[in-house]
């Protein structure tokens, strides 16, 4: 038995592909690997699908009767909040998955291969974008069933989806950096609960910020989650006659989210790539 | 082929700095096999990680096939194959998919990557794991997939970090077979191990390391000559004979004989094992020393250590490493 490939069938890489095609092909290879993982251990997928359905039903059918929103029906108001909450939590998966890969040692394998230095991160954030997209579709379908309607042109509807996904994609990079910086995946899960729950609940996601006590109201109006919710609400035409709070990010929600997402990408993509170049399991 | 000099790596920890590498020099000529032999914590993994571009040393230089791994890690990665201390396989992918993915990331064409994965599956007798997710397979199987991953290209330089630690004796033998085959193909190999026997079986040249530096170097024979080729060990029926037995063993041994903590086991390093054993048994019989047991054994890492450093190697042998492999 000879373990090496025979000389005439050299299994040595061809001349190195160009940087761009290498980036694309490596990124795709890793994305495919992550998606296979989702398919094979579907607990994450089930969670990503069931959780938003539960939230939609819980809030619209159970709390819906007792939460009053001035000027519109609660289900219309609610959906943007649930979309935002779901994609934000969905993005935290990028962090725990990076931490898990690091712990499993597979990152060490990747880092000794001549692949593009951002491919693992690109593959990670891409596949989490797919996961978030699937969640979003399910949520929308559930929303339609319970009476949610888009009161805006189709292009605006698409822009709303695009904005939510852009934000979640950018946020995935933030979480990926965290995932590479902690000792275990559990830390990410715990930290995101501790930080993201208050952020989504002290916001305009489920209630009008005006109904919150004064200090919380101010916090909610400047909370980035609120801007995302407000932007999605506007683009889906679900604002109705609810007054927009008098704070800059609320008055300019769409630009706020766009700028925020672009800034996150500009800052965290390079930080992630730099961090990736030095991590290794213990 | 591998040239490293003055490698230092210092980690900060709560209890002060840890010098994982404290000025390590290594040289592995093309087409030869070098074993790094050392106990847990000696710095084996750290030096392999430096040479395979995973971590940067605090100081020092490292060349692999003439490529500076510190300034040009990408180029180095194109010619090396690595199998780290803990198998780095994706649990959710099948054996085939793992190898195919690695091939793609070495930038083989899609067809070539598939073909190579299939070849390796057959050569490594992984057919069973070929089409099922790795999850649920034994440590030995994972280890083989991981090793196959290191060979997806014909690496010019191969690194294996404790390839058989934690494996049962059968898997270990089978892996030794595979590695011996590779070596006969002329691959340059740097391998780390905690077992003197493994280093002896697989390598041309051994570097004994401790505390992040090389403390002895040479062929297995040279090292054995330093520490005595074999050890003659006798167990006495009566501990009162220990003094006499020690004197007799010392007479035929290469150095002082020692009495174990049980007071009944006396042993000594010898140069010609069988002959020394014959003489020892003859003399003990004449002196009327009754024996419970007598024999020869190969020196262990601990013996090497005791001889070289005057202290025992901590954490050596079968006890430690199996855990992490199973815990995953
Ligand atoms: N990331 C790290 N942080 C702190 N100390 C480390 C780290 N990696 C290794 N060490 C320490 O460096 C020393 C050498 O470790 P290692 O190279 O793993 O040894 P070996 O592989 O020979 O068992 C040990 O004392 C270990 O605890
Ligand atoms: Mg080690």
């Amino acid at each position: 038995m000879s373990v090496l490939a025979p000389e005439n069938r050299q299994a040595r890489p061809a001349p190195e592909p160009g940087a761009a095609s290498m980036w694309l092909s490596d990124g795709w290879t890793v994305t495919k690997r992550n998606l296979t993982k989702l398919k094979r251990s579907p607990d994450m997928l089930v969670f990503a699908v069931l959780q938003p359905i539960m939230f939609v039903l819980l809030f619209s059918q159970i709390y819906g009767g007792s939460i009053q929103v001035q000027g519109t029906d609660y289900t219309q108001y609610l959906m943007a909040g649930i979309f935002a909450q779901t994609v934000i939590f969905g993005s935290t998966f990028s962090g725990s998955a990076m931490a898990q890969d690091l712990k499993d040692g597979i990152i060490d394998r990747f880092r000794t291969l001549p692949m593009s230095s951002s491919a693992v991160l690109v593959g990670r954030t891409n596949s989490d974008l797919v996961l978030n997209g699937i969640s979003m579709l399910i949520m929308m379908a559930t929303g339609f069933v319970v009476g949610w309607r888009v009161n805006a042109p189709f292009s605006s509807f698409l822009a709303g989806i695009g904005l939510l996904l852009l934000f979640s994609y950018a946020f995935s990079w933030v979480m990926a950096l965290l995932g590479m910086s902690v000792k275990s995946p559990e830390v990410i899960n715990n930290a995101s609960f501790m930080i993201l729950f208050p952020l989504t609940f002290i916001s305009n996601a489920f209630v009008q910020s005006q109904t919150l006590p004064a200090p919380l109201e101010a916090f909610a109006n400047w909370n980035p989650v609120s801007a995302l919710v407000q932007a999605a609400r506007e683009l889906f035409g679900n604002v109705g006659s609810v007054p927009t709070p008098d704070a800059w990010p609320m008055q300019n929600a769409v630009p706020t989210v766009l700028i925020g997402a672009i800034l996150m990408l500009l800052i965290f993509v390079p930080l992630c790539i730099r961090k990736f170049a030095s991590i290794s399991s213990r | 082929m591998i040239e490293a000099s003055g490698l230092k790596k210092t980690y900060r920890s709560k209890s002060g700095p840890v010098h994982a590498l404290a000025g390590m020099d290594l040289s592995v000529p093309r087409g030869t096999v070098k074993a790094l032999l050392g106990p847990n914590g000696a710095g084996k993994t750290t030096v392999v990680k430096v040479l395979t571009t995973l971590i940067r040393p605090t100081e020092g230089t490292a060349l692999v096939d003439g490529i500076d791994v510190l300034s040009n890690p990408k180029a180095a990665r194109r010619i090396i194959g690595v199998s780290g201390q803990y198998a780095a396989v994706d649990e959710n992918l099948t054996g085939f998919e793992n190898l195919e993915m690695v091939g793609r990331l070495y930038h083989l064409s899609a067809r070539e990557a598939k073909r190579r994965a299939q070849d390796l599956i057959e050569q490594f007798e992984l057919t069973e794991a070929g089409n099922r997710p790795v999850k649920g397979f034994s440590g030995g199987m994972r280890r083989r997939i991981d090793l196959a991953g290191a060979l997806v290209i014909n690496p010019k330089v191969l690194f294996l970090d404790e390839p058989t630690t934690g494996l049962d004796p059968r898997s270990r033998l089978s892996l030794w077979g595979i590695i011996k085959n590779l070596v006969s193909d002329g691959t340059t190999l740097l391998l780390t191990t905690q077992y003197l026997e493994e280093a002896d079986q697989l390598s041309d040249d051994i570097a004994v390391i401790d505390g992040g530096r090389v403390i002895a170097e040479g062929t297995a024979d040279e090292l054995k000559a330093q520490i005595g080729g074999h050890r003659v060990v006798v167990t006495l029926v009566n501990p009162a004979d220990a003094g006499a037995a020690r004197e007799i063993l010392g007479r035929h041994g290469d150095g002082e004989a020692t009495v174990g903590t049980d007071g009944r086991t006396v042993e000594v390093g010898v140069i010609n094992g069988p002959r020394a054993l014959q003489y020892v048994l003859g003399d003990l019989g004449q002196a009327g020393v009754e024996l419970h047991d007598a024999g020869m054994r190969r020196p262990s890492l601990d013996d090497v250590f005791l001889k070289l450093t005057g202290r025992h190697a901590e954490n050596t042998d079968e006890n430690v490493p199996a855990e992490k492999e199973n815990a995953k």
Side-chain angles (χ1 to χ4, degrees):
Chain A
M1 176 189 96
S2 172
V3 179
L4 298 179
E7 287 303 313
N8 55 348
R9 290 160 79 197
Q10 275 291 354
R12 277 221 178 103
E16 219 29 38
S21 78
M22 178 167 105
W23 183 79
L24 279 177
S25 112
D26 292 351
W28 169 238
T29 303
V30 179
T31 307
K32 209 168 65 176
R33 168 241 173 191
N34 293 339
L35 293 177
T36 309
K37 194 165 202 156
L38 268 187
K39 211 171 63 191
R40 300 251 166 92
S41 56
D43 39 322
M44 190 60 214
L45 200 58
V46 169
F47 184 72
V49 166
L50 287 186
Q51 197 222 23
I53 296 183
M54 258 177 48
F55 266 100
V56 172
L57 295 180
L58 191 72
F59 275 90
S60 69
Q61 306 302 304
I62 299 174
Y63 293 156
S66 46
I67 304 179
Q68 298 302 319
V69 184
Q70 81 202 77
T72 183
D73 150 44
Y74 186 59
T75 302
Q76 309 306 317
Y77 185 81
L78 168 74
M79 286 305 291
I82 293 191
F83 287 144
Q85 187 202 31
T86 306
V87 295
I88 286 171
F89 274 95
S91 302
T92 65
F93 186 54
S94 292
S96 49
M98 280 308 289
Q100 187 69 46
D101 281 351
L102 192 56
K103 191 174 156 196
D104 290 346
I106 188 81
I107 296 284
D108 282 13
R109 165 65 73 204
F110 287 139
R111 283 204 51 232
T112 57
L113 295 174
M115 59 195 288
S116 151
S117 57
S118 59
V120 171
L121 295 156
V122 169
R124 180 77 267 150
T125 49
N126 277 353
S127 50
D128 297 340
L129 185 63
V130 171
L131 188 65
N132 263 330
I134 295 174
S135 284
M136 193 101 121
L137 280 177
I138 307 280
M139 274 186 295
M140 290 191 172
T142 319
F144 280 121
V145 171
V146 297
W148 173 61
R149 294 294 175 266
V150 175
N151 295 309
F154 189 64
S155 58
S156 172
F157 169 66
L158 288 185
I161 297 177
L163 198 69
L164 282 163
L165 290 180
L166 173 69
F167 186 90
S168 76
Y169 182 73
F171 191 55
S172 277
W173 285 87
V174 180
M175 293 309 299
L177 185 67
L178 282 180
M180 290 186 283
S181 313
V182 296
K183 290 215 166 60
S184 83
E186 290 75 33
V187 178
I188 289 287
N189 293 333
N190 296 340
S192 20
F193 257 65
M194 300 281 289
I195 295 164
L196 294 179
F197 252 112
L199 271 181
T200 46
F201 279 92
I202 309 172
S203 78
N204 60 356
F206 305 111
V207 294
Q208 283 179 264
S209 57
Q210 290 94 326
T211 63
L212 297 169
L216 293 185
E217 181 188 349
F219 179 86
N221 287 341
W222 287 87
N223 181 345
V225 177
S226 298
L228 181 62
V229 174
Q230 179 70 25
R233 219 166 251 159
E234 284 172 12
L235 291 168
F236 293 152
N238 293 143
V239 177
S241 56
V242 179
T244 302
D246 188 21
W248 195 89
M250 293 292 101
Q251 297 285 338
N252 305 280
V254 174
T256 303
V257 174
L258 266 180
I259 293 169
I262 290 167
L263 276 181
M264 273 195 278
L265 287 171
L266 285 178
I267 295 171
F268 286 92
V269 171
L271 285 181
C272 275
I273 292 174
R274 225 176 73 190
K275 179 77 185 171
F276 186 79
S278 70
I279 54 172
S280 166
S281 70
R282 266 216 68 182
Chain B
M1 195 41 119
I2 301 176
E3 288 291 340
S5 78
L7 288 183
K8 292 190 180 173
K9 177 72 187 179
T10 306
Y11 287 110
R12 275 185 295 268
S13 81
K14 282 184 202 103
S15 49
V18 178
H19 301 288
L21 296 179
M24 189 177 291
D25 303 316
L26 274 183
S27 165
V28 187
R30 185 183 305 266
T32 67
V33 181
K34 175 121 187 179
L36 296 184
L37 175 68
N40 252 348
K44 302 183 295 296
T45 297
T46 307
V47 72
V48 168
K49 283 190 172 182
V50 167
L51 294 172
T52 56
T53 78
L54 283 172
I55 57 179
R56 292 185 68 85
T58 319
E59 265 179 54
T61 57
L63 298 180
V64 171
D65 192 33
I67 299 167
D68 184 338
V69 295
L70 303 180
S71 63
N72 199 356
K74 271 242 171 90
R77 288 173 193 151
R78 284 201 273 273
I79 56 145
I80 60 173
V82 188
S83 173
Q85 181 167 2
Y86 305 107
V89 290
D90 190 320
E91 305 258 303
N92 293 283
L93 300 185
T94 65
F96 179 85
E97 287 165 341
N98 264 291
L99 297 175
E100 186 193 10
M101 175 178 79
V102 171
R104 290 297 281 152
L105 294 174
Y106 270 118
H107 304 126
L108 302 182
S109 70
R111 261 189 56 214
E112 180 81 350
K114 279 201 165 61
R115 212 212 69 227
R116 187 68 185 135
Q118 196 53 51
D119 286 355
L120 287 165
I121 294 274
E122 281 159 24
Q123 284 163 353
F124 280 73
E125 290 154 34
L126 290 167
T127 331
E128 199 190 334
N131 299 314
R132 277 197 285 157
V134 173
K135 200 173 358 196
F137 281 106
S138 67
M141 187 70 97
R142 276 164 210 235
R143 195 78 236 190
R144 291 219 297 273
I145 298 172
D146 195 59
L147 184 56
L151 299 170
V152 166
I153 56 163
N154 291 340
K156 286 190 178 165
V157 184
L158 181 62
F159 296 89
L160 305 177
D161 192 4
E162 298 200 26
T164 69
T165 297
L167 295 189
D168 57 83
R170 227 195 85 232
S171 309
R172 173 171 301 166
L173 277 180
S174 122
L175 217 62
W176 280 3
I178 291 172
I179 295 170
K180 280 181 178 161
N181 246 303
L182 277 177
V183 169
S184 64
D185 279 328
T187 305
T188 305
L189 168 62
L190 181 70
L191 135 116
T192 79
T193 181
Q194 299 196 29
Y195 312 110
L196 181 59
E197 194 191 350
E198 182 162 290
D200 189 1
Q201 287 274 335
L202 300 177
S203 69
D204 302 315
D205 216 8
I206 300 174
V208 183
I209 67 171
D210 181 40
R213 55 164 68 88
V214 175
I215 57 170
E217 215 168 356
T219 62
D221 287 339
E222 285 164 358
L223 281 178
K224 277 189 203 154
Q226 265 188 50
I227 55 168
H230 278 92
R231 315 227 5 124
V232 166
V233 188
V234 299
T235 310
L236 310 172
V237 171
N238 186 353
D241 291 334
R246 190 161 170 239
E247 194 272 320
I248 291 169
L249 265 71
R251 208 185 289 159
H252 301 288
D254 172 35
E256 296 262 299
T258 54
V259 184
T261 45
D262 61 358
R264 295 175 38 191
T265 314
V266 186
E267 63 173 279
V268 71
V270 295
I271 293 175
N272 184 333
R275 178 167 310 155
L277 183 63
Q278 281 172 338
Y279 289 153
V280 163
L281 291 179
D283 288 5
L284 285 171
Q286 254 175 10
V289 176
E290 259 191 285
L291 295 181
H292 187 70
D293 196 3
M296 256 171 15
R297 67 176 173 82
R298 292 171 152 277
S300 66
L301 173 61
D302 197 47
D303 300 321
V304 178
F305 246 70
L306 201 56
K307 187 80 180 190
L308 291 173
T309 67
R311 61 188 172 77
H312 288 276
E314 293 146 38
N315 289 330
T316 51
D317 275 303
E318 337 287 310
N319 48 7
V320 196
E323 297 154 30
K324 190 165 178 190
E325 195 77 42
N326 298 338
K328 289 200 304 186

